[in-house]
């Protein structure tokens, strides 16, 4: 069983901040990358930020300088700190990991969190 549990979404005014958390099952094995995606109504799901196991990162151009992705290996948790939020950031945010389910697997798969709503009012 691989589970990703997200938290931290909510309603904020423009210019405010939120921190999203995604706790991943301790049983998951060999994570190659963890990331955050978002999807607004009527739009395609897009990559927001990603972080590798050795802490290299990349960000969508639209969030550079405002969002920070990080991970806590001991807690098997990935975070997304979102500052200077804009109405355009309103979306459902999804956590994703690319990993083997356990140490006896032979392939990597994508695993997704349930999504958390972020709404930014103007």
């Amino acid at each position: 069983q691989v589970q990703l549990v997200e938290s931290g979404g909510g309603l904020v005014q423009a210019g405010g901040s939120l921190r999203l958390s995604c706790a991943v099952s301790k049983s998951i094995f060999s994570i190659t990358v963890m990331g955050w995606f978002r999807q607004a109504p009527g739009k395609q799901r897009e990559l927001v930020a990603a972080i590798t196991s050795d802490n290299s990162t990349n960000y969508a151009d639209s969030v550079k300088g405002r969002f920070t992705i990080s991970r806590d290996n001991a807690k098997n948790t990935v975070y997304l700190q979102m500052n200077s939020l804009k109405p355009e950031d309103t979306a459902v945010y999804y956590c994703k990991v690319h990993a083997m389910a356990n140490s006896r697997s032979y392939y990597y798969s994508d695993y997704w969190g349930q999504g958390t709503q972020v709404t930014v009012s103007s």
Side-chain angles (χ1 to χ4, degrees):
Q1 301 180 28
V2 175
Q3 292 186 333
L4 283 66
V5 180
E6 300 180 31
S7 62
L11 173 64
V12 298
Q13 295 189 131
S17 298
L18 287 172
R19 190 174 83 152
L20 306 183
S21 299
C22 176
V24 183
S25 303
K26 290 291 187 180
S27 60
I28 200 166
F29 182 77
S30 189
I31 297 172
T32 61
V33 61
M34 308 176 78
W36 291 93
F37 289 71
R38 67 186 181 188
Q39 187 167 24
K43 295 185 177 180
Q44 296 292 311
R45 188 172 298 186
E46 64 175 347
L47 175 68
V48 177
I51 185 167
T52 65
S53 296
D54 63 355
N55 288 325
S56 63
T57 60
N58 71 285
Y59 298 90
D61 289 341
S62 60
V63 307
K64 286 181 179 178
R66 300 188 297 122
F67 291 10
T68 303
I69 189 170
S70 62
R71 69 195 300 268
D72 185 330
N73 292 333
K75 296 181 179 180
N76 237 32
T77 299
V78 62
Y79 305 93
L80 185 68
Q81 179 67 46
M82 305 186 294
N83 298 327
S84 301
L85 282 162
K86 304 175 180 179
E88 305 92 274
D89 297 317
T90 296
V92 177
Y93 284 70
Y94 296 91
C95 178
K96 189 190 83 171
V97 301
H98 186 68
M100 290 184 179
N102 57 67
S103 62
R104 293 185 290 186
S105 297
Y106 294 95
Y107 61 93
Y108 289 84
S109 296
D110 291 328
Y111 300 93
W112 292 88
Q114 80 280 7
T116 185
Q117 177 71 48
V118 171
T119 302
V120 184
S121 61
S122 59

